[in-house]
Amino acid sequence: MARAIHKKGAAAVATDRGDRRARTGDQWLDGFFPYRLYRASKKLQLRLQTRLRAMRLSSSQWRVISVLKAYGALSIGEIVDATLMEQPTISRVVARLEKTGLVTRRPSTRDSRMALISLTAHGDEVLKQIIPAALRHQELALNGIGRKEIAQVVATLEKIEENIEAGD
């Protein structure tokens, strides 16, 4: 049965859409950081997907070409590390991006067993068309939040990643 979460003051009230009876719980998730982070991230992702569809790109393709734009030519393993996506997924995404002429693959000069993936001029042009929408998307999400607060959130997220990696 479908459930909806409605904010009512500080407490969330879940209702079954079929009978609309109020359910009670302790709302422990409201203060559970991983849950809140996931919800915010998922909402950002869903909104961006609409924009990406108009460009005929998947969110996976967007992540790969964005990483290549940010860091230059990378191996499949380096793309995996930067995107936190699985290696087989990255291999399929890169193959699709190659077919559409957005990326190119060339042998590495460091290691002949490795290939480096980089954006083509066409891939760079496609990315340049998307970046303004992505920045507007970010601006909308951060509306009303000051630069210092944003910098603190970014620093906090970096520290969280460090803590998680140190615990591995």
Side-chain angles (χ1 to χ4, degrees), residues 59-95 97-98 103-106 110 114-119:
S59 58
S60 297
Q61 291 170 321
W62 158 253
R63 287 166 66 186
V64 170
I65 64 174
S66 293
V67 162
L68 293 173
K69 177 67 172 171
Y71 304 113
L74 298 172
S75 69
I76 294 287
E78 291 167 326
I79 297 170
V80 166
D81 290 343
T83 61
L84 300 177
M85 295 166 60
E86 297 291 326
Q87 189 276 328
T89 302
I90 293 296
S91 294
R92 285 190 301 273
V93 169
V94 166
L97 291 169
E98 273 186 292
V103 302
T104 187
R105 187 187 309 243
R106 65 175 167 76
R110 299 176 293 180
M114 185 181 355
L116 292 178
I117 314 303
S118 57
L119 277 179

mmCIF file of all heavy atoms in Angstrom, residues 59-95 97-98 103-106 110 114-119:
data_model
loop_
_atom_site.group_PDB
_atom_site.id
_atom_site.type_symbol
_atom_site.label_atom_id
_atom_site.label_comp_id
_atom_site.label_asym_id
_atom_site.label_seq_id
_atom_site.Cartn_x
_atom_site.Cartn_y
_atom_site.Cartn_z
ATOM 1 N N SER A 59 21.803 9.819 -15.973
ATOM 2 C CA SER A 59 22.546 10.391 -14.843
ATOM 3 C C SER A 59 23.935 9.753 -14.751
ATOM 4 O O SER A 59 24.892 10.420 -14.367
ATOM 5 C CB SER A 59 21.774 10.234 -13.531
ATOM 6 O OG SER A 59 21.490 8.887 -13.278
ATOM 7 N N SER A 60 24.069 8.492 -15.134
ATOM 8 C CA SER A 60 25.381 7.836 -15.128
ATOM 9 C C SER A 60 26.309 8.473 -16.151
ATOM 10 O O SER A 60 27.495 8.707 -15.872
ATOM 11 C CB SER A 60 25.239 6.345 -15.428
ATOM 12 O OG SER A 60 24.489 5.711 -14.427
ATOM 13 N N GLN A 61 25.773 8.757 -17.336
ATOM 14 C CA GLN A 61 26.589 9.411 -18.357
ATOM 15 C C GLN A 61 27.010 10.804 -17.897
ATOM 16 O O GLN A 61 28.153 11.217 -18.088
ATOM 17 C CB GLN A 61 25.820 9.497 -19.677
ATOM 18 C CG GLN A 61 25.626 8.143 -20.333
ATOM 19 C CD GLN A 61 24.669 8.203 -21.505
ATOM 20 O OE1 GLN A 61 23.655 8.903 -21.468
ATOM 21 N NE2 GLN A 61 24.991 7.465 -22.553
ATOM 22 N N TRP A 62 26.077 11.524 -17.277
ATOM 23 C CA TRP A 62 26.374 12.854 -16.751
ATOM 24 C C TRP A 62 27.513 12.792 -15.737
ATOM 25 O O TRP A 62 28.435 13.594 -15.754
ATOM 26 C CB TRP A 62 25.110 13.449 -16.128
ATOM 27 C CG TRP A 62 25.325 14.530 -15.121
ATOM 28 C CD1 TRP A 62 25.157 14.424 -13.773
ATOM 29 C CD2 TRP A 62 25.753 15.872 -15.365
ATOM 30 N NE1 TRP A 62 25.448 15.635 -13.170
ATOM 31 C CE2 TRP A 62 25.818 16.541 -14.127
ATOM 32 C CE3 TRP A 62 26.090 16.579 -16.519
ATOM 33 C CZ2 TRP A 62 26.206 17.861 -13.999
ATOM 34 C CZ3 TRP A 62 26.472 17.912 -16.382
ATOM 35 C CH2 TRP A 62 26.521 18.537 -15.135
ATOM 36 N N ARG A 63 27.451 11.813 -14.840
ATOM 37 C CA ARG A 63 28.478 11.681 -13.815
ATOM 38 C C ARG A 63 29.847 11.426 -14.444
ATOM 39 O O ARG A 63 30.848 12.026 -14.050
ATOM 40 C CB ARG A 63 28.116 10.573 -12.834
ATOM 41 C CG ARG A 63 26.976 10.987 -11.910
ATOM 42 C CD ARG A 63 26.362 9.846 -11.160
ATOM 43 N NE ARG A 63 27.274 9.226 -10.203
ATOM 44 C CZ ARG A 63 26.970 8.138 -9.522
ATOM 45 N NH1 ARG A 63 25.798 7.551 -9.690
ATOM 46 N NH2 ARG A 63 27.821 7.631 -8.662
ATOM 47 N N VAL A 64 29.886 10.556 -15.446
ATOM 48 C CA VAL A 64 31.165 10.225 -16.079
ATOM 49 C C VAL A 64 31.731 11.424 -16.828
ATOM 50 O O VAL A 64 32.897 11.781 -16.647
ATOM 51 C CB VAL A 64 31.026 9.000 -17.010
ATOM 52 C CG1 VAL A 64 32.279 8.804 -17.863
ATOM 53 C CG2 VAL A 64 30.744 7.742 -16.190
ATOM 54 N N ILE A 65 30.919 12.081 -17.649
ATOM 55 C CA ILE A 65 31.474 13.211 -18.414
ATOM 56 C C ILE A 65 31.815 14.388 -17.495
ATOM 57 O O ILE A 65 32.768 15.116 -17.764
ATOM 58 C CB ILE A 65 30.585 13.630 -19.606
ATOM 59 C CG1 ILE A 65 29.228 14.162 -19.174
ATOM 60 C CG2 ILE A 65 30.460 12.499 -20.613
ATOM 61 C CD1 ILE A 65 28.373 14.710 -20.312
ATOM 62 N N SER A 66 31.076 14.546 -16.421
ATOM 63 C CA SER A 66 31.400 15.604 -15.449
ATOM 64 C C SER A 66 32.746 15.352 -14.794
ATOM 65 O O SER A 66 33.553 16.271 -14.625
ATOM 66 C CB SER A 66 30.320 15.702 -14.378
ATOM 67 O OG SER A 66 29.123 16.144 -14.935
ATOM 68 N N VAL A 67 32.989 14.112 -14.418
ATOM 69 C CA VAL A 67 34.268 13.744 -13.796
ATOM 70 C C VAL A 67 35.406 13.941 -14.790
ATOM 71 O O VAL A 67 36.473 14.456 -14.438
ATOM 72 C CB VAL A 67 34.197 12.288 -13.265
ATOM 73 C CG1 VAL A 67 35.570 11.714 -13.014
ATOM 74 C CG2 VAL A 67 33.357 12.235 -11.996
ATOM 75 N N LEU A 68 35.191 13.560 -16.046
ATOM 76 C CA LEU A 68 36.231 13.752 -17.059
ATOM 77 C C LEU A 68 36.512 15.229 -17.294
ATOM 78 O O LEU A 68 37.664 15.626 -17.482
ATOM 79 C CB LEU A 68 35.839 13.059 -18.371
ATOM 80 C CG LEU A 68 35.790 11.529 -18.312
ATOM 81 C CD1 LEU A 68 35.236 10.965 -19.616
ATOM 82 C CD2 LEU A 68 37.160 10.943 -17.993
ATOM 83 N N LYS A 69 35.482 16.042 -17.268
ATOM 84 C CA LYS A 69 35.672 17.487 -17.414
ATOM 85 C C LYS A 69 36.449 18.043 -16.223
ATOM 86 O O LYS A 69 37.342 18.874 -16.372
ATOM 87 C CB LYS A 69 34.310 18.183 -17.547
ATOM 88 C CG LYS A 69 34.376 19.683 -17.630
ATOM 89 C CD LYS A 69 35.039 20.145 -18.915
ATOM 90 C CE LYS A 69 34.927 21.665 -19.062
ATOM 91 N NZ LYS A 69 35.733 22.152 -20.156
ATOM 92 N N ALA A 70 36.116 17.577 -15.050
ATOM 93 C CA ALA A 70 36.747 18.085 -13.828
ATOM 94 C C ALA A 70 38.203 17.638 -13.675
ATOM 95 O O ALA A 70 39.041 18.415 -13.220
ATOM 96 C CB ALA A 70 35.944 17.638 -12.595
ATOM 97 N N TYR A 71 38.514 16.386 -14.063
ATOM 98 C CA TYR A 71 39.828 15.821 -13.755
ATOM 99 C C TYR A 71 40.662 15.446 -14.977
ATOM 100 O O TYR A 71 41.793 14.992 -14.827
ATOM 101 C CB TYR A 71 39.680 14.604 -12.832
ATOM 102 C CG TYR A 71 38.923 14.950 -11.576
ATOM 103 C CD1 TYR A 71 37.670 14.409 -11.331
ATOM 104 C CD2 TYR A 71 39.445 15.852 -10.657
ATOM 105 C CE1 TYR A 71 36.958 14.747 -10.183
ATOM 106 C CE2 TYR A 71 38.743 16.195 -9.511
ATOM 107 C CZ TYR A 71 37.507 15.641 -9.284
ATOM 108 O OH TYR A 71 36.807 15.984 -8.155
ATOM 109 N N GLY A 72 40.112 15.604 -16.178
ATOM 110 C CA GLY A 72 40.862 15.255 -17.385
ATOM 111 C C GLY A 72 40.789 13.771 -17.678
ATOM 112 O O GLY A 72 39.937 13.049 -17.150
ATOM 113 N N ALA A 73 41.697 13.303 -18.517
ATOM 114 C CA ALA A 73 41.715 11.901 -18.934
ATOM 115 C C ALA A 73 41.940 10.987 -17.731
ATOM 116 O O ALA A 73 42.827 11.232 -16.913
ATOM 117 C CB ALA A 73 42.797 11.680 -19.979
ATOM 118 N N LEU A 74 41.106 9.957 -17.635
ATOM 119 C CA LEU A 74 41.176 9.017 -16.510
ATOM 120 C C LEU A 74 41.038 7.588 -17.012
ATOM 121 O O LEU A 74 40.410 7.334 -18.040
ATOM 122 C CB LEU A 74 40.041 9.283 -15.519
ATOM 123 C CG LEU A 74 39.993 10.639 -14.821
ATOM 124 C CD1 LEU A 74 38.696 10.772 -14.030
ATOM 125 C CD2 LEU A 74 41.195 10.826 -13.920
ATOM 126 N N SER A 75 41.566 6.663 -16.246
ATOM 127 C CA SER A 75 41.350 5.236 -16.524
ATOM 128 C C SER A 75 39.959 4.853 -16.018
ATOM 129 O O SER A 75 39.341 5.602 -15.247
ATOM 130 C CB SER A 75 42.405 4.392 -15.808
ATOM 131 O OG SER A 75 42.192 4.452 -14.400
ATOM 132 N N ILE A 76 39.497 3.694 -16.426
ATOM 133 C CA ILE A 76 38.208 3.192 -15.935
ATOM 134 C C ILE A 76 38.236 3.120 -14.404
ATOM 135 O O ILE A 76 37.291 3.544 -13.742
ATOM 136 C CB ILE A 76 37.879 1.807 -16.542
ATOM 137 C CG1 ILE A 76 37.657 1.897 -18.049
ATOM 138 C CG2 ILE A 76 36.691 1.159 -15.833
ATOM 139 C CD1 ILE A 76 36.363 2.546 -18.482
ATOM 140 N N GLY A 77 39.317 2.618 -13.833
ATOM 141 C CA GLY A 77 39.427 2.514 -12.375
ATOM 142 C C GLY A 77 39.357 3.865 -11.686
ATOM 143 O O GLY A 77 38.740 4.002 -10.624
ATOM 144 N N GLU A 78 39.986 4.867 -12.279
ATOM 145 C CA GLU A 78 39.936 6.209 -11.699
ATOM 146 C C GLU A 78 38.528 6.802 -11.792
ATOM 147 O O GLU A 78 38.080 7.493 -10.880
ATOM 148 C CB GLU A 78 40.949 7.124 -12.397
ATOM 149 C CG GLU A 78 42.390 6.750 -12.083
ATOM 150 C CD GLU A 78 43.408 7.428 -12.980
ATOM 151 O OE1 GLU A 78 43.108 7.649 -14.178
ATOM 152 O OE2 GLU A 78 44.504 7.725 -12.483
ATOM 153 N N ILE A 79 37.824 6.492 -12.877
ATOM 154 C CA ILE A 79 36.432 6.952 -13.010
ATOM 155 C C ILE A 79 35.567 6.266 -11.959
ATOM 156 O O ILE A 79 34.715 6.897 -11.325
ATOM 157 C CB ILE A 79 35.882 6.712 -14.429
ATOM 158 C CG1 ILE A 79 36.671 7.534 -15.455
ATOM 159 C CG2 ILE A 79 34.392 7.049 -14.505
ATOM 160 C CD1 ILE A 79 36.363 7.195 -16.909
ATOM 161 N N VAL A 80 35.803 4.982 -11.737
ATOM 162 C CA VAL A 80 35.084 4.236 -10.696
ATOM 163 C C VAL A 80 35.300 4.915 -9.343
ATOM 164 O O VAL A 80 34.345 5.165 -8.600
ATOM 165 C CB VAL A 80 35.541 2.759 -10.653
ATOM 166 C CG1 VAL A 80 35.086 2.061 -9.381
ATOM 167 C CG2 VAL A 80 35.048 2.012 -11.885
ATOM 168 N N ASP A 81 36.546 5.241 -9.019
ATOM 169 C CA ASP A 81 36.854 5.888 -7.740
ATOM 170 C C ASP A 81 36.180 7.248 -7.617
ATOM 171 O O ASP A 81 35.680 7.607 -6.548
ATOM 172 C CB ASP A 81 38.369 6.060 -7.574
ATOM 173 C CG ASP A 81 39.089 4.749 -7.361
ATOM 174 O OD1 ASP A 81 38.434 3.732 -7.022
ATOM 175 O OD2 ASP A 81 40.326 4.722 -7.541
ATOM 176 N N ALA A 82 36.160 8.007 -8.694
ATOM 177 C CA ALA A 82 35.604 9.363 -8.646
ATOM 178 C C ALA A 82 34.082 9.385 -8.613
ATOM 179 O O ALA A 82 33.485 10.271 -8.005
ATOM 180 C CB ALA A 82 36.097 10.174 -9.846
ATOM 181 N N THR A 83 33.449 8.400 -9.248
ATOM 182 C CA THR A 83 31.984 8.394 -9.324
ATOM 183 C C THR A 83 31.329 7.491 -8.292
ATOM 184 O O THR A 83 30.125 7.591 -8.064
ATOM 185 C CB THR A 83 31.503 7.923 -10.712
ATOM 186 O OG1 THR A 83 31.963 6.579 -10.931
ATOM 187 C CG2 THR A 83 31.974 8.844 -11.824
ATOM 188 N N LEU A 84 32.107 6.586 -7.700
ATOM 189 C CA LEU A 84 31.592 5.581 -6.763
ATOM 190 C C LEU A 84 30.573 4.659 -7.431
ATOM 191 O O LEU A 84 29.675 4.131 -6.775
ATOM 192 C CB LEU A 84 30.997 6.238 -5.509
ATOM 193 C CG LEU A 84 31.955 7.079 -4.693
ATOM 194 C CD1 LEU A 84 31.230 7.736 -3.529
ATOM 195 C CD2 LEU A 84 33.135 6.256 -4.211
ATOM 196 N N MET A 85 30.732 4.475 -8.734
ATOM 197 C CA MET A 85 29.881 3.548 -9.474
ATOM 198 C C MET A 85 30.661 2.245 -9.666
ATOM 199 O O MET A 85 31.882 2.210 -9.543
ATOM 200 C CB MET A 85 29.490 4.163 -10.827
ATOM 201 C CG MET A 85 28.614 5.403 -10.682
ATOM 202 S SD MET A 85 28.447 6.385 -12.204
ATOM 203 C CE MET A 85 27.722 5.210 -13.318
ATOM 204 N N GLU A 86 29.951 1.172 -9.973
ATOM 205 C CA GLU A 86 30.584 -0.129 -10.170
ATOM 206 C C GLU A 86 31.344 -0.159 -11.498
ATOM 207 O O GLU A 86 30.928 0.461 -12.477
ATOM 208 C CB GLU A 86 29.525 -1.235 -10.161
ATOM 209 C CG GLU A 86 28.775 -1.365 -8.850
ATOM 210 C CD GLU A 86 29.643 -1.887 -7.733
ATOM 211 O OE1 GLU A 86 30.537 -2.706 -8.002
ATOM 212 O OE2 GLU A 86 29.429 -1.469 -6.577
ATOM 213 N N GLN A 87 32.439 -0.924 -11.538
ATOM 214 C CA GLN A 87 33.277 -1.003 -12.734
ATOM 215 C C GLN A 87 32.509 -1.478 -13.971
ATOM 216 O O GLN A 87 32.652 -0.871 -15.032
ATOM 217 C CB GLN A 87 34.499 -1.880 -12.454
ATOM 218 C CG GLN A 87 35.544 -1.868 -13.559
ATOM 219 C CD GLN A 87 35.248 -2.844 -14.676
ATOM 220 O OE1 GLN A 87 34.676 -3.903 -14.452
ATOM 221 N NE2 GLN A 87 35.618 -2.479 -15.879
ATOM 222 N N PRO A 88 31.686 -2.533 -13.881
ATOM 223 C CA PRO A 88 30.954 -2.943 -15.092
ATOM 224 C C PRO A 88 30.017 -1.847 -15.616
ATOM 225 O O PRO A 88 29.870 -1.675 -16.828
ATOM 226 C CB PRO A 88 30.163 -4.180 -14.639
ATOM 227 C CG PRO A 88 30.882 -4.685 -13.440
ATOM 228 C CD PRO A 88 31.447 -3.468 -12.768
ATOM 229 N N THR A 89 29.419 -1.099 -14.700
ATOM 230 C CA THR A 89 28.538 0.001 -15.093
ATOM 231 C C THR A 89 29.345 1.076 -15.817
ATOM 232 O O THR A 89 28.929 1.576 -16.872
ATOM 233 C CB THR A 89 27.826 0.604 -13.863
ATOM 234 O OG1 THR A 89 27.086 -0.425 -13.219
ATOM 235 C CG2 THR A 89 26.916 1.754 -14.253
ATOM 236 N N ILE A 90 30.481 1.433 -15.268
ATOM 237 C CA ILE A 90 31.333 2.445 -15.893
ATOM 238 C C ILE A 90 31.759 1.983 -17.286
ATOM 239 O O ILE A 90 31.735 2.762 -18.238
ATOM 240 C CB ILE A 90 32.567 2.764 -15.019
ATOM 241 C CG1 ILE A 90 32.143 3.452 -13.726
ATOM 242 C CG2 ILE A 90 33.580 3.614 -15.785
ATOM 243 C CD1 ILE A 90 31.501 4.810 -13.909
ATOM 244 N N SER A 91 32.133 0.725 -17.416
ATOM 245 C CA SER A 91 32.553 0.208 -18.724
ATOM 246 C C SER A 91 31.425 0.342 -19.750
ATOM 247 O O SER A 91 31.664 0.754 -20.891
ATOM 248 C CB SER A 91 32.987 -1.255 -18.608
ATOM 249 O OG SER A 91 34.157 -1.343 -17.825
ATOM 250 N N ARG A 92 30.197 0.018 -19.342
ATOM 251 C CA ARG A 92 29.046 0.141 -20.266
ATOM 252 C C ARG A 92 28.769 1.604 -20.607
ATOM 253 O O ARG A 92 28.504 1.946 -21.761
ATOM 254 C CB ARG A 92 27.797 -0.502 -19.659
ATOM 255 C CG ARG A 92 27.801 -2.028 -19.689
ATOM 256 C CD ARG A 92 26.451 -2.609 -19.305
ATOM 257 N NE ARG A 92 26.005 -2.218 -17.982
ATOM 258 C CZ ARG A 92 26.313 -2.857 -16.863
ATOM 259 N NH1 ARG A 92 27.091 -3.917 -16.894
ATOM 260 N NH2 ARG A 92 25.846 -2.442 -15.707
ATOM 261 N N VAL A 93 28.824 2.474 -19.598
ATOM 262 C CA VAL A 93 28.569 3.903 -19.822
ATOM 263 C C VAL A 93 29.623 4.476 -20.766
ATOM 264 O O VAL A 93 29.289 5.191 -21.720
ATOM 265 C CB VAL A 93 28.538 4.673 -18.482
ATOM 266 C CG1 VAL A 93 28.557 6.176 -18.708
ATOM 267 C CG2 VAL A 93 27.317 4.271 -17.666
ATOM 268 N N VAL A 94 30.877 4.151 -20.542
ATOM 269 C CA VAL A 94 31.952 4.650 -21.403
ATOM 270 C C VAL A 94 31.758 4.142 -22.833
ATOM 271 O O VAL A 94 31.919 4.904 -23.791
ATOM 272 C CB VAL A 94 33.340 4.282 -20.838
ATOM 273 C CG1 VAL A 94 34.442 4.490 -21.870
ATOM 274 C CG2 VAL A 94 33.628 5.089 -19.575
ATOM 275 N N ALA A 95 31.383 2.883 -22.980
ATOM 276 C CA ALA A 95 31.148 2.337 -24.322
ATOM 277 C C ALA A 95 30.035 3.113 -25.030
ATOM 278 O O ALA A 95 30.152 3.445 -26.222
ATOM 279 C CB ALA A 95 30.809 0.850 -24.237
ATOM 280 N N LEU A 97 29.065 6.221 -24.367
ATOM 281 C CA LEU A 97 29.570 7.568 -24.628
ATOM 282 C C LEU A 97 30.532 7.581 -25.814
ATOM 283 O O LEU A 97 30.558 8.547 -26.581
ATOM 284 C CB LEU A 97 30.248 8.140 -23.376
ATOM 285 C CG LEU A 97 29.320 8.472 -22.203
ATOM 286 C CD1 LEU A 97 30.129 8.772 -20.943
ATOM 287 C CD2 LEU A 97 28.392 9.624 -22.554
ATOM 288 N N GLU A 98 31.292 6.503 -25.982
ATOM 289 C CA GLU A 98 32.175 6.386 -27.155
ATOM 290 C C GLU A 98 31.350 6.319 -28.440
ATOM 291 O O GLU A 98 31.674 6.994 -29.424
ATOM 292 C CB GLU A 98 33.030 5.119 -27.065
ATOM 293 C CG GLU A 98 34.317 5.275 -26.319
ATOM 294 C CD GLU A 98 35.158 4.019 -26.419
ATOM 295 O OE1 GLU A 98 34.762 2.973 -25.848
ATOM 296 O OE2 GLU A 98 36.210 4.080 -27.073
ATOM 297 N N VAL A 103 33.114 10.695 -25.734
ATOM 298 C CA VAL A 103 34.420 10.397 -25.140
ATOM 299 C C VAL A 103 35.243 9.584 -26.131
ATOM 300 O O VAL A 103 34.716 8.999 -27.085
ATOM 301 C CB VAL A 103 34.316 9.620 -23.791
ATOM 302 C CG1 VAL A 103 33.500 10.383 -22.767
ATOM 303 C CG2 VAL A 103 33.784 8.220 -23.994
ATOM 304 N N THR A 104 36.522 9.567 -25.868
ATOM 305 C CA THR A 104 37.438 8.752 -26.664
ATOM 306 C C THR A 104 38.324 7.963 -25.712
ATOM 307 O O THR A 104 38.546 8.371 -24.571
ATOM 308 C CB THR A 104 38.269 9.633 -27.628
ATOM 309 O OG1 THR A 104 39.007 8.793 -28.487
ATOM 310 C CG2 THR A 104 39.198 10.557 -26.884
ATOM 311 N N ARG A 105 38.814 6.850 -26.221
ATOM 312 C CA ARG A 105 39.677 5.967 -25.431
ATOM 313 C C ARG A 105 41.021 5.875 -26.152
ATOM 314 O O ARG A 105 41.045 5.671 -27.353
ATOM 315 C CB ARG A 105 39.009 4.592 -25.347
ATOM 316 C CG ARG A 105 39.648 3.597 -24.461
ATOM 317 C CD ARG A 105 38.984 2.230 -24.592
ATOM 318 N NE ARG A 105 37.542 2.251 -24.455
ATOM 319 C CZ ARG A 105 36.863 1.632 -23.495
ATOM 320 N NH1 ARG A 105 37.507 0.943 -22.585
ATOM 321 N NH2 ARG A 105 35.558 1.686 -23.453
ATOM 322 N N ARG A 106 42.101 6.023 -25.389
ATOM 323 C CA ARG A 106 43.434 5.873 -25.985
ATOM 324 C C ARG A 106 44.333 5.137 -24.996
ATOM 325 O O ARG A 106 44.102 5.204 -23.784
ATOM 326 C CB ARG A 106 44.020 7.230 -26.361
ATOM 327 C CG ARG A 106 44.294 8.134 -25.195
ATOM 328 C CD ARG A 106 44.989 9.432 -25.623
ATOM 329 N NE ARG A 106 44.979 10.426 -24.572
ATOM 330 C CZ ARG A 106 45.768 10.413 -23.501
ATOM 331 N NH1 ARG A 106 46.626 9.452 -23.326
ATOM 332 N NH2 ARG A 106 45.688 11.372 -22.592
ATOM 333 N N ARG A 110 51.618 5.557 -19.523
ATOM 334 C CA ARG A 110 52.182 5.036 -18.273
ATOM 335 C C ARG A 110 52.138 3.517 -18.206
ATOM 336 O O ARG A 110 53.028 2.882 -17.667
ATOM 337 C CB ARG A 110 51.417 5.576 -17.057
ATOM 338 C CG ARG A 110 51.428 7.059 -16.887
ATOM 339 C CD ARG A 110 50.564 7.453 -15.715
ATOM 340 N NE ARG A 110 49.163 7.144 -16.050
ATOM 341 C CZ ARG A 110 48.144 7.361 -15.273
ATOM 342 N NH1 ARG A 110 48.314 7.854 -14.070
ATOM 343 N NH2 ARG A 110 46.924 7.079 -15.662
ATOM 344 N N MET A 114 46.489 -0.278 -19.798
ATOM 345 C CA MET A 114 45.414 0.611 -19.366
ATOM 346 C C MET A 114 45.062 1.592 -20.487
ATOM 347 O O MET A 114 45.927 2.022 -21.234
ATOM 348 C CB MET A 114 45.876 1.390 -18.129
ATOM 349 C CG MET A 114 44.833 2.255 -17.517
ATOM 350 S SD MET A 114 45.369 3.223 -16.068
ATOM 351 C CE MET A 114 47.003 2.723 -15.704
ATOM 352 N N ALA A 115 43.789 1.921 -20.565
ATOM 353 C CA ALA A 115 43.331 2.941 -21.505
ATOM 354 C C ALA A 115 42.907 4.169 -20.712
ATOM 355 O O ALA A 115 42.438 4.059 -19.579
ATOM 356 C CB ALA A 115 42.164 2.416 -22.317
ATOM 357 N N LEU A 116 43.075 5.328 -21.318
ATOM 358 C CA LEU A 116 42.624 6.570 -20.713
ATOM 359 C C LEU A 116 41.407 7.063 -21.481
ATOM 360 O O LEU A 116 41.386 7.054 -22.712
ATOM 361 C CB LEU A 116 43.727 7.625 -20.738
ATOM 362 C CG LEU A 116 44.931 7.339 -19.850
ATOM 363 C CD1 LEU A 116 45.966 8.440 -20.000
ATOM 364 C CD2 LEU A 116 44.509 7.205 -18.395
ATOM 365 N N ILE A 117 40.404 7.480 -20.731
ATOM 366 C CA ILE A 117 39.159 7.976 -21.303
ATOM 367 C C ILE A 117 39.187 9.493 -21.177
ATOM 368 O O ILE A 117 39.517 10.024 -20.119
ATOM 369 C CB ILE A 117 37.923 7.429 -20.539
ATOM 370 C CG1 ILE A 117 38.048 5.925 -20.286
ATOM 371 C CG2 ILE A 117 36.642 7.807 -21.247
ATOM 372 C CD1 ILE A 117 38.226 5.079 -21.513
ATOM 373 N N SER A 118 38.825 10.188 -22.245
ATOM 374 C CA SER A 118 38.772 11.649 -22.174
ATOM 375 C C SER A 118 37.595 12.159 -22.989
ATOM 376 O O SER A 118 37.074 11.471 -23.868
ATOM 377 C CB SER A 118 40.081 12.267 -22.657
ATOM 378 O OG SER A 118 40.373 11.847 -23.965
ATOM 379 N N LEU A 119 37.179 13.369 -22.658
ATOM 380 C CA LEU A 119 36.098 14.018 -23.390
ATOM 381 C C LEU A 119 36.570 14.386 -24.786
ATOM 382 O O LEU A 119 37.708 14.813 -24.960
ATOM 383 C CB LEU A 119 35.668 15.304 -22.693
ATOM 384 C CG LEU A 119 34.703 15.226 -21.537
ATOM 385 C CD1 LEU A 119 34.432 16.626 -20.991
ATOM 386 C CD2 LEU A 119 33.408 14.566 -21.920
#
